[in-house]
Protein backbone atom coordinates (compact mmCIF):
# COMPACT_ATOMS: atom_id res chain seq x y z
CA UNK A 1 0.00 0.00 0.00
CA UNK A 2 2.84 2.38 0.82
CA UNK A 3 6.06 3.15 -1.02
CA UNK A 4 8.23 1.46 1.60
CA UNK A 5 11.61 2.76 0.42
CA UNK A 6 10.52 6.37 0.33
CA UNK A 7 8.55 5.93 3.53
CA UNK A 8 11.53 4.55 5.45
CA UNK A 9 13.85 7.26 4.10
CA UNK A 10 11.38 10.01 5.02
CA UNK A 11 10.93 8.67 8.55
CA UNK A 12 14.69 8.46 9.04
CA UNK A 13 15.21 12.03 7.83
CA UNK A 14 12.49 13.37 10.11
CA UNK A 15 13.39 11.57 13.33
CA UNK A 16 16.16 14.00 14.26
CA UNK A 17 13.83 17.00 14.16
CA UNK A 18 10.80 15.19 15.60
CA UNK A 19 11.24 16.48 19.14
CA UNK A 20 11.09 20.11 17.98
CA UNK A 21 8.42 19.67 15.34
CA UNK A 22 5.08 21.40 15.78
CA UNK A 23 2.07 19.09 16.04
CA UNK A 24 -0.57 20.34 13.61
CA UNK A 25 -3.64 18.37 14.66
CA UNK A 26 -5.23 15.06 15.64
CA UNK A 27 -5.64 12.37 12.99
CA UNK A 28 -7.51 9.08 13.28
CA UNK A 29 -6.14 6.31 11.03
CA UNK A 30 -8.44 3.34 10.37
CA UNK A 31 -6.71 0.34 8.79
CA UNK A 32 -7.28 -3.38 9.38
CA UNK A 33 -3.77 -4.55 8.39
CA UNK A 34 -1.26 -4.09 11.21
CA UNK A 35 1.76 -3.48 8.98
CA UNK A 36 -0.06 -0.72 7.10
CA UNK A 37 -1.26 0.87 10.35
CA UNK A 38 2.32 0.99 11.58
CA UNK A 39 3.58 2.51 8.34
CA UNK A 40 0.87 5.18 8.26
CA UNK A 41 1.59 5.98 11.89
CA UNK A 42 5.33 6.36 11.19
CA UNK A 43 4.68 8.79 8.34
CA UNK A 44 1.93 10.91 9.94
CA UNK A 45 3.16 11.00 13.55
CA UNK A 46 5.99 13.33 12.57
CA UNK A 47 3.47 16.16 12.08
CA UNK A 48 0.30 14.98 13.81
CA UNK A 49 -1.03 13.25 16.91
CA UNK A 50 -2.10 9.92 15.44
CA UNK A 51 -4.67 7.51 16.89
CA UNK A 52 -5.00 4.06 15.32
CA UNK A 53 -8.12 1.90 14.89
CA UNK A 54 -8.25 -1.57 13.36
CA UNK A 55 -11.76 -1.26 11.89
CA UNK A 56 -14.71 1.09 11.47
CA UNK A 57 -16.51 0.01 14.62
CA UNK A 58 -13.41 0.63 16.74
CA UNK A 59 -13.07 4.04 15.09
CA UNK A 60 -16.67 4.97 15.96
CA UNK A 61 -16.11 4.02 19.61
CA UNK A 62 -13.03 6.26 19.75
CA UNK A 63 -14.92 9.16 18.20
CA UNK A 64 -18.00 8.73 20.39
CA UNK A 65 -15.87 8.64 23.54
CA UNK A 66 -14.93 12.29 22.80
CA UNK A 67 -11.59 11.83 24.55
CA UNK A 68 -9.89 13.32 21.47
CA UNK A 69 -11.16 15.90 18.98
CA UNK A 70 -10.14 14.53 15.58
CA UNK A 71 -9.44 17.02 12.80
CA UNK A 72 -9.14 14.36 10.09
CA UNK A 73 -10.02 10.69 9.59
CA UNK A 74 -8.02 8.59 7.11
CA UNK A 75 -9.56 5.20 6.47
CA UNK A 76 -8.87 2.23 4.25
CA UNK A 77 -11.90 1.25 2.17
CA UNK A 78 -11.75 -2.55 2.11
CA UNK A 79 -12.09 -3.65 5.73
CA UNK A 80 -14.12 -6.32 7.56
CA UNK A 81 -17.30 -5.38 9.50
CA UNK A 82 -17.53 -1.90 7.92
CA UNK A 83 -16.04 -0.44 4.74
CA UNK A 84 -14.37 2.94 4.66
CA UNK A 85 -17.30 4.45 2.76
CA UNK A 86 -19.76 3.05 5.31
CA UNK A 87 -17.70 4.58 8.11
CA UNK A 88 -17.65 7.95 6.34
CA UNK A 89 -21.40 7.79 5.74
CA UNK A 90 -21.96 7.15 9.44
CA UNK A 91 -19.74 10.09 10.41
CA UNK A 92 -21.55 12.27 7.86
CA UNK A 93 -24.97 11.28 9.27
CA UNK A 94 -23.71 12.21 12.75
CA UNK A 95 -22.45 15.52 11.34
CA UNK A 96 -19.00 14.81 12.73
CA UNK A 97 -16.69 17.68 11.83
CA UNK A 98 -13.51 15.71 11.00
CA UNK A 99 -12.39 15.93 7.38
CA UNK A 100 -12.64 12.46 5.82
CA UNK A 101 -10.23 10.75 3.38
CA UNK A 102 -10.31 7.21 1.98
CA UNK A 103 -7.44 4.95 0.89
CA UNK A 104 -8.48 2.80 -2.05
CA UNK A 105 -7.18 0.87 -5.03
CA UNK A 106 -7.34 2.62 -8.41
CA UNK A 107 -9.65 -0.09 -9.79
CA UNK A 108 -12.24 0.72 -7.08
CA UNK A 109 -12.13 4.46 -7.55
CA UNK A 110 -14.85 4.85 -10.19
CA UNK A 111 -17.37 2.77 -8.24
CA UNK A 112 -16.78 4.87 -5.10
CA UNK A 113 -17.09 8.33 -6.65
CA UNK A 114 -20.83 8.47 -5.98
CA UNK A 115 -20.07 8.49 -2.23
CA UNK A 116 -18.34 11.89 -2.36
CA UNK A 117 -21.50 13.81 -1.49
CA UNK A 118 -23.52 11.36 0.59
CA UNK A 119 -20.52 10.49 2.77
CA UNK A 120 -18.90 13.95 2.79
CA UNK A 121 -15.53 12.61 1.59
CA UNK A 122 -12.78 15.20 1.14
CA UNK A 123 -10.31 13.11 -0.90
CA UNK A 124 -9.73 9.62 -2.26
CA UNK A 125 -6.11 8.50 -2.03
CA UNK A 126 -5.12 5.74 -4.43
CA UNK A 127 -2.55 3.09 -3.53
CA UNK A 128 0.42 2.91 -3.45
CA UNK A 129 0.67 6.02 -1.29
CA UNK A 130 3.57 8.44 -1.62
CA UNK A 131 4.51 9.62 1.92
CA UNK A 132 5.04 13.26 0.88
CA UNK A 133 1.69 13.30 -0.93
CA UNK A 134 -0.04 11.73 2.09
CA UNK A 135 1.45 14.32 4.43
CA UNK A 136 0.50 17.17 2.11
CA UNK A 137 -3.11 16.01 1.81
CA UNK A 138 -3.38 15.46 5.56
CA UNK A 139 -2.14 18.99 6.23
CA UNK A 140 -4.76 20.26 3.77
CA UNK A 141 -7.51 18.19 5.42
CA UNK A 142 -6.62 19.36 8.94
CA UNK A 143 -6.36 22.98 7.75
CA UNK A 144 -9.83 22.75 6.19
CA UNK A 145 -11.27 21.39 9.43
CA UNK A 146 -9.65 24.12 11.53
CA UNK A 147 -10.78 26.85 9.12
CA UNK A 148 -14.35 25.58 9.34
CA UNK A 149 -14.17 25.55 13.14
CA UNK A 150 -12.63 29.03 13.22
CA UNK A 151 -15.41 30.34 11.00
CA UNK A 152 -17.98 28.84 13.33
CA UNK A 153 -16.27 30.31 16.41
CA UNK A 154 -16.00 33.69 14.68
CA UNK A 155 -19.74 33.85 14.01
CA UNK A 156 -20.45 32.83 17.61
CA UNK A 157 -18.01 35.48 18.86
CA UNK A 158 -19.63 38.20 16.75
CA UNK A 159 -23.01 37.34 18.18
CA UNK A 160 -21.67 37.35 21.75
CA UNK A 161 -19.87 40.69 21.27
CA UNK A 162 -23.01 42.32 19.92
CA UNK A 163 -25.05 41.04 22.87
CA UNK A 164 -22.41 42.19 25.37
CA UNK A 165 -22.31 45.62 23.73
CA UNK A 166 -26.06 45.98 24.09
CA UNK A 167 -25.92 44.93 27.74
CA UNK A 168 -23.12 47.43 28.44
CA UNK A 169 -25.11 50.26 26.90
CA UNK A 170 -28.14 49.32 28.98
CA UNK A 171 -26.08 49.36 32.20
CA UNK A 172 -24.51 52.74 31.34
CA UNK A 173 -27.94 54.25 30.72
CA UNK A 174 -29.29 52.93 34.03
CA UNK A 175 -26.26 54.41 35.82
CA UNK A 176 -26.82 57.79 34.16
CA UNK A 177 -23.49 57.64 32.33
CA UNK A 178 -22.76 58.95 28.86
CA UNK A 179 -23.31 56.26 26.24
CA UNK A 180 -20.63 56.18 23.53
CA UNK A 181 -21.66 55.95 19.88
CA UNK A 182 -20.59 52.48 18.79
CA UNK A 183 -20.41 51.12 15.27
CA UNK A 184 -19.73 47.77 13.70
CA UNK A 185 -15.94 47.21 13.52
CA UNK A 186 -14.35 47.23 10.06
CA UNK A 187 -13.48 43.55 10.41
CA UNK A 188 -17.19 42.76 10.67
CA UNK A 189 -18.37 45.06 7.90
CA UNK A 190 -19.33 42.21 5.61
CA UNK A 191 -21.79 40.97 8.24
CA UNK A 192 -23.54 44.33 8.33
CA UNK A 193 -24.82 43.71 4.79
CA UNK A 194 -28.00 41.62 4.97
CA UNK A 195 -27.87 38.35 3.10
CA UNK A 196 -30.09 35.35 2.47
CA UNK A 197 -28.72 31.99 3.63
CA UNK A 198 -30.15 28.47 3.50
CA UNK A 199 -30.14 27.42 7.15
CA UNK A 200 -32.04 25.42 9.74
CA UNK A 201 -33.69 26.76 12.89
CA UNK A 202 -34.49 25.00 16.16
CA UNK A 203 -36.85 26.13 18.91
CA UNK A 204 -36.71 24.36 22.29
CA UNK A 205 -39.09 24.81 25.22
CA UNK A 206 -39.25 23.13 28.64
CA UNK A 207 -42.85 22.19 29.42
CA UNK A 208 -43.93 22.29 33.05
CA UNK A 209 -41.21 24.75 34.02
CA UNK A 210 -43.61 27.54 34.97
CA UNK A 211 -45.29 25.32 37.55
CA UNK A 212 -41.91 24.04 38.75
CA UNK A 213 -40.53 27.57 39.17
CA UNK A 214 -43.61 28.75 41.12
CA UNK A 215 -43.02 26.05 43.76
CA UNK A 216 -39.22 26.17 43.95
CA UNK A 217 -36.76 28.68 45.46
CA UNK A 218 -35.35 31.06 42.85
CA UNK A 219 -31.74 29.93 43.34
CA UNK A 220 -32.69 26.30 42.69
CA UNK A 221 -34.79 27.27 39.66
CA UNK A 222 -31.80 28.99 38.07
CA UNK A 223 -29.50 26.11 38.97
CA UNK A 224 -31.78 23.56 37.25
CA UNK A 225 -32.21 25.78 34.21
CA UNK A 226 -28.46 26.31 34.00
CA UNK A 227 -27.80 22.55 34.12
CA UNK A 228 -30.39 21.88 31.43
CA UNK A 229 -29.07 24.63 29.16
CA UNK A 230 -25.50 23.45 29.64
CA UNK A 231 -26.40 20.03 28.23
CA UNK A 232 -28.52 21.43 25.39
CA UNK A 233 -25.81 23.93 24.45
CA UNK A 234 -23.25 21.13 24.37
CA UNK A 235 -25.29 19.13 21.85
CA UNK A 236 -26.14 22.15 19.68
CA UNK A 237 -22.56 23.40 19.41
CA UNK A 238 -21.19 19.87 19.03
CA UNK A 239 -23.42 19.46 15.97
CA UNK A 240 -22.27 22.76 14.45
CA UNK A 241 -25.11 25.01 15.62
CA UNK A 242 -25.19 28.37 17.40
CA UNK A 243 -27.58 29.35 20.19
CA UNK A 244 -29.17 32.55 18.91
CA UNK A 245 -31.13 33.57 22.00
CA UNK A 246 -32.71 32.34 25.22
CA UNK A 247 -36.46 32.72 25.58
CA UNK A 248 -37.22 32.28 29.27
CA UNK A 249 -37.10 28.52 29.77
CA UNK A 250 -36.52 27.93 26.06
CA UNK A 251 -34.03 28.81 23.35
CA UNK A 252 -33.58 29.34 19.63
CA UNK A 253 -30.63 27.86 17.76
CA UNK A 254 -29.50 28.10 14.15
CA UNK A 255 -27.49 25.71 12.00
CA UNK A 256 -25.54 26.63 8.86
CA UNK A 257 -24.82 30.24 9.82
CA UNK A 258 -21.10 29.84 9.17
CA UNK A 259 -21.48 27.81 5.96
CA UNK A 260 -23.37 24.77 4.54
CA UNK A 261 -24.57 21.60 6.16
CA UNK A 262 -27.09 23.29 8.41
CA UNK A 263 -30.02 21.03 7.61
CA UNK A 264 -28.18 17.77 8.32
CA UNK A 265 -26.66 19.29 11.46
CA UNK A 266 -30.07 20.36 12.80
CA UNK A 267 -31.52 16.91 12.10
CA UNK A 268 -28.72 15.22 14.01
CA UNK A 269 -28.93 17.70 16.91
CA UNK A 270 -32.71 17.17 17.13
CA UNK A 271 -32.22 13.42 17.40
CA UNK A 272 -29.53 13.71 20.06
CA UNK A 273 -31.49 16.19 22.18
CA UNK A 274 -34.61 14.01 22.24
CA UNK A 275 -32.60 10.87 22.99
CA UNK A 276 -30.54 12.56 25.70
CA UNK A 277 -33.12 14.63 27.59
CA UNK A 278 -34.60 11.74 29.65
CA UNK A 279 -31.08 10.91 30.89
CA UNK A 280 -30.38 14.58 31.69
CA UNK A 281 -33.39 15.02 33.95
CA UNK A 282 -33.05 11.47 35.25
CA UNK A 283 -29.56 12.23 36.54
CA UNK A 284 -30.76 15.14 38.71
CA UNK A 285 -31.45 14.60 42.40
CA UNK A 286 -34.77 16.49 42.48
CA UNK A 287 -37.76 14.24 41.75
CA UNK A 288 -39.90 17.14 40.50
CA UNK A 289 -37.37 17.84 37.71
CA UNK A 290 -38.06 14.41 36.26
CA UNK A 291 -41.61 15.56 35.46
CA UNK A 292 -40.36 18.26 33.08
CA UNK A 293 -40.88 17.66 29.36
CA UNK A 294 -38.93 19.04 26.39
CA UNK A 295 -40.53 20.27 23.15
CA UNK A 296 -38.40 20.73 20.03
CA UNK A 297 -39.34 22.15 16.63
CA UNK A 298 -36.99 22.37 13.64
CA UNK A 299 -37.39 23.65 10.11
CA UNK A 300 -35.09 24.72 7.28
CA UNK A 301 -35.06 27.10 4.34
CA UNK A 302 -33.90 30.55 3.28
CA UNK A 303 -33.48 33.10 6.08
CA UNK A 304 -32.44 36.73 6.08
CA UNK A 305 -29.37 37.36 8.24
CA UNK A 306 -27.92 40.75 9.13
CA UNK A 307 -26.89 43.11 11.89
CA UNK A 308 -29.91 45.05 13.12
CA UNK A 309 -30.25 47.88 15.62
CA UNK A 310 -29.05 51.31 16.68
CA UNK A 311 -26.40 52.72 19.02
CA UNK A 312 -28.77 51.67 21.85
CA UNK A 313 -28.89 47.98 20.93
CA UNK A 314 -27.38 45.90 18.15
CA UNK A 315 -27.82 42.22 17.42
CA UNK A 316 -27.43 39.60 14.74
CA UNK A 317 -30.97 39.25 13.40
CA UNK A 318 -32.25 36.06 11.76
CA UNK A 319 -35.61 36.50 10.06
CA UNK A 320 -37.79 34.32 7.83
CA UNK A 321 -40.56 31.76 7.54
CA UNK A 322 -38.39 28.78 8.62
CA UNK A 323 -37.90 30.47 11.99
CA UNK A 324 -41.65 31.05 12.34
CA UNK A 325 -42.36 27.47 11.30
CA UNK A 326 -39.84 26.02 13.79
CA UNK A 327 -41.55 27.97 16.59
CA UNK A 328 -44.98 26.69 15.56
CA UNK A 329 -43.72 23.09 15.31
CA UNK A 330 -42.38 23.35 18.85
CA UNK A 331 -45.83 24.52 19.99
CA UNK A 332 -47.42 21.73 17.96
CA UNK A 333 -45.94 19.07 20.26
CA UNK A 334 -48.37 20.25 22.95
CA UNK A 335 -51.20 18.59 21.03
CA UNK A 336 -49.72 15.21 21.97
CA UNK A 337 -50.53 16.15 25.57
CA UNK A 338 -53.91 17.86 25.13
CA UNK A 339 -55.80 16.39 22.15
CA UNK A 340 -56.82 12.81 21.41
CA UNK A 341 -56.04 13.37 17.73
CA UNK A 342 -52.65 14.72 18.74
CA UNK A 343 -51.90 11.64 20.83
CA UNK A 344 -53.15 9.37 18.04
CA UNK A 345 -51.00 10.85 15.27
CA UNK A 346 -47.96 12.26 17.08
CA UNK A 347 -47.63 9.46 19.62
CA UNK A 348 -46.73 9.29 23.28
CA UNK A 349 -44.97 12.31 24.80
CA UNK A 350 -43.45 11.17 28.11
CA UNK A 351 -40.19 13.13 28.36
CA UNK A 352 -39.22 14.74 25.03
CA UNK A 353 -40.79 15.22 21.61
CA UNK A 354 -39.54 16.81 18.41
CA UNK A 355 -41.59 17.76 15.36
CA UNK A 356 -39.74 18.77 12.22
CA UNK A 357 -40.23 19.30 8.50
CA UNK A 358 -36.59 18.52 7.67
CA UNK A 359 -36.69 15.71 5.09
CA UNK A 360 -33.37 14.17 6.19
CA UNK A 361 -35.07 13.09 9.43
CA UNK A 362 -36.97 10.43 7.48
CA UNK A 363 -33.68 8.52 7.18
CA UNK A 364 -32.67 8.94 10.83
CA UNK A 365 -33.49 6.15 13.25
CA UNK A 366 -36.19 7.09 15.71
CA UNK A 367 -38.16 9.50 13.52
CA UNK A 368 -41.50 8.58 12.00
CA UNK A 369 -43.29 10.32 9.14
CA UNK A 370 -46.76 11.58 10.05
CA UNK A 371 -49.34 12.68 7.47
CA UNK A 372 -51.51 15.24 9.21
CA UNK A 373 -55.31 14.92 8.99
CA UNK A 374 -57.55 17.89 8.33
CA UNK A 375 -58.37 18.30 12.03
CA UNK A 376 -54.70 18.47 13.05
CA UNK A 377 -52.81 21.37 11.46
CA UNK A 378 -49.80 23.49 12.40
CA UNK A 379 -50.91 26.97 13.42
CA UNK A 380 -50.30 29.55 10.66
CA UNK A 381 -48.99 26.78 8.37
CA UNK A 382 -52.10 24.94 7.17
CA UNK A 383 -50.27 23.81 4.03
CA UNK A 384 -47.93 21.56 6.05
CA UNK A 385 -49.31 18.09 5.50
CA UNK A 386 -46.36 15.91 6.58
CA UNK A 387 -44.03 16.17 9.57
CA UNK A 388 -41.43 13.90 11.16
CA UNK A 389 -41.84 13.08 14.83
CA UNK A 390 -39.49 11.62 17.43
CA UNK A 391 -40.37 11.13 21.08
CA UNK A 392 -39.13 9.57 24.29
Amino acid sequence: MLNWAKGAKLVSERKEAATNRKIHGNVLVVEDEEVNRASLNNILSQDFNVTLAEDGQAALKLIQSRETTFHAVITDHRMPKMTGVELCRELYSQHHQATRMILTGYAELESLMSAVNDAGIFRYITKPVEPDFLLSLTHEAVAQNKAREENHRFVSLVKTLLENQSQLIKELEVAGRDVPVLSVPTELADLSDPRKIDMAVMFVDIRGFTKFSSMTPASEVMMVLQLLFKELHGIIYDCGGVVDKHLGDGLMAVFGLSGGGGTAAAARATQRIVETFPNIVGSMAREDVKALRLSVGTASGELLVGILGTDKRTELAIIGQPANLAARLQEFTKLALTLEAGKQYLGEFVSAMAVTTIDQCEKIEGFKAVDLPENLKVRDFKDITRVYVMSR
Side-chain angles (χ1 to χ4, degrees):
M1 184 184 78
L2 293 164
N3 187 321
W4 295 103
K6 287 187 177 181
K9 183 174 183 292
L10 181 64
V11 171
S12 177
E13 290 173 350
R14 289 172 174 249
K15 274 187 175 179
E16 288 185 20
T19 55
N20 297 321
R21 186 174 299 280
K22 178 182 178 182
I23 297 300
H24 295 271
N26 302 319
V27 177
L28 175 61
V29 172
V30 191
E31 166 63 67
D32 62 311
E33 296 186 16
E34 185 176 355
V35 66
N36 288 336
R37 281 201 306 275
S39 182
L40 289 166
N41 183 49
N42 285 338
I43 298 299
L44 295 171
S45 61
Q46 308 304 311
D47 286 359
F48 305 96
N49 286 321
V50 179
T51 301
L52 303 175
E54 61 184 16
D55 57 47
Q57 292 179 359
L60 288 175
K61 287 181 181 178
L62 285 168
I63 289 169
Q64 290 165 359
S65 72
R66 300 187 188 179
E67 292 180 3
T68 302
T69 299
F70 294 109
H71 302 103
V73 174
I74 302 173
T75 177
D76 189 24
H77 174 56
R78 285 191 174 276
M79 297 184 296
K81 300 181 182 178
M82 178 182 287
T83 67
V85 167
E86 288 171 341
L87 171 61
C88 289
R89 281 200 180 106
E90 180 61 25
L91 294 178
Y92 184 78
S93 72
Q94 295 181 14
H95 203 70
H96 192 272
Q97 297 298 305
T99 307
R100 297 173 282 278
M101 298 193 291
I102 285 188
L103 295 163
T104 183
Y106 185 80
E108 300 173 313
L109 191 58
E110 186 174 348
S111 64
L112 299 180
M113 291 302 290
S114 61
V116 170
N117 291 326
D118 63 359
I121 295 169
F122 173 65
R123 289 283 191 277
Y124 288 101
I125 307 172
T126 55
K127 307 171 185 177
V129 181
E130 293 287 340
D132 284 332
F133 180 64
L134 177 63
L135 276 168
S136 176
L137 276 184
T138 306
H139 275 283
E140 187 179 345
V142 169
Q144 185 201 64
N145 173 271
K146 289 185 175 182
R148 187 166 56 242
E149 288 300 305
E150 282 300 316
N151 192 25
H152 184 70
R153 281 193 290 270
F154 174 73
V155 171
S156 299
L157 178 61
V158 169
K159 183 181 178 303
T160 301
L161 289 173
L162 291 173
E163 290 171 350
N164 289 345
Q165 172 183 301
S166 296
Q167 182 61 32
L168 175 61
I169 290 173
K170 184 188 300 183
E171 291 174 2
L172 288 172
E173 288 182 330
V174 170
R177 304 284 296 277
D178 291 335
V179 177
V181 177
L182 301 174
S183 59
V184 178
T186 305
E187 295 84 351
L188 309 181
D190 60 329
L191 289 177
S192 64
D193 295 326
R195 66 192 66 186
K196 292 182 177 180
I197 305 176
D198 283 326
M199 294 168 31
V201 183
M202 171 188 289
F203 273 83
V204 176
D205 186 62
I206 303 172
R207 297 202 175 277
F209 202 83
T210 301
K211 179 180 178 182
F212 168 78
S213 61
S214 68
M215 303 170 63
T216 308
S219 60
E220 294 183 34
V221 170
M222 293 304 294
M223 181 188 69
V224 169
L225 197 58
Q226 180 68 20
L227 290 172
L228 292 175
F229 279 161
K230 179 182 178 181
E231 296 295 333
L232 296 177
H233 278 212
I235 295 172
I236 290 166
Y237 280 88
D238 194 34
C239 289
V242 175
V243 175
D244 180 61
K245 58 175 66 74
H246 290 104
L247 308 161
D249 55 6
L251 61 82
M252 171 184 171
V254 292
F255 299 81
L257 188 59
S258 56
T263 302
R268 178 61 180 166
T270 303
Q271 179 198 32
R272 284 181 55 186
I273 285 173
V274 173
E275 289 179 339
T276 306
F277 187 75
N279 295 330
I280 296 173
V281 294
S283 66
M284 295 187 186
R286 295 185 61 106
E287 286 299 319
D288 49 0
V289 172
K290 296 177 175 60
L292 298 176
R293 293 185 174 96
L294 192 75
S295 293
V296 184
T298 53
S300 61
E302 190 176 71
L303 289 115
L304 179 64
V305 179
I307 293 177
L308 182 68
T310 65
D311 59 338
K312 302 292 186 184
R313 179 174 174 82
T314 307
E315 64 181 2
L316 191 64
I318 299 168
I319 305 167
Q321 284 295 79
N324 299 332
L325 175 56
R328 293 292 181 251
L329 291 172
Q330 181 274 123
E331 294 175 1
F332 193 64
T333 63
K334 184 178 180 180
L335 300 185
L337 298 171
T338 59
L339 288 181
E340 284 303 319
K343 297 174 184 178
Q344 177 186 349
Y345 283 91
L346 299 181
E348 191 174 13
F349 183 175
V350 176
S351 181
M353 176 176 283
V355 179
T356 176
T357 53
I358 295 176
D359 291 338
Q360 282 94 328
C361 289
E362 189 170 20
K363 299 178 181 179
I364 297 179
E365 184 179 356
F367 281 96
K368 67 173 182 177
V370 176
D371 293 317
L372 300 177
E374 286 300 319
N375 64 334
L376 197 67
K377 293 297 182 183
V378 180
R379 183 159 67 96
D380 299 333
F381 291 90
K382 305 298 183 184
D383 57 328
I384 299 294
T385 59
R386 168 171 281 203
V387 295
Y388 302 97
V389 181
M390 184 177 184
S391 62
R392 287 291 185 272

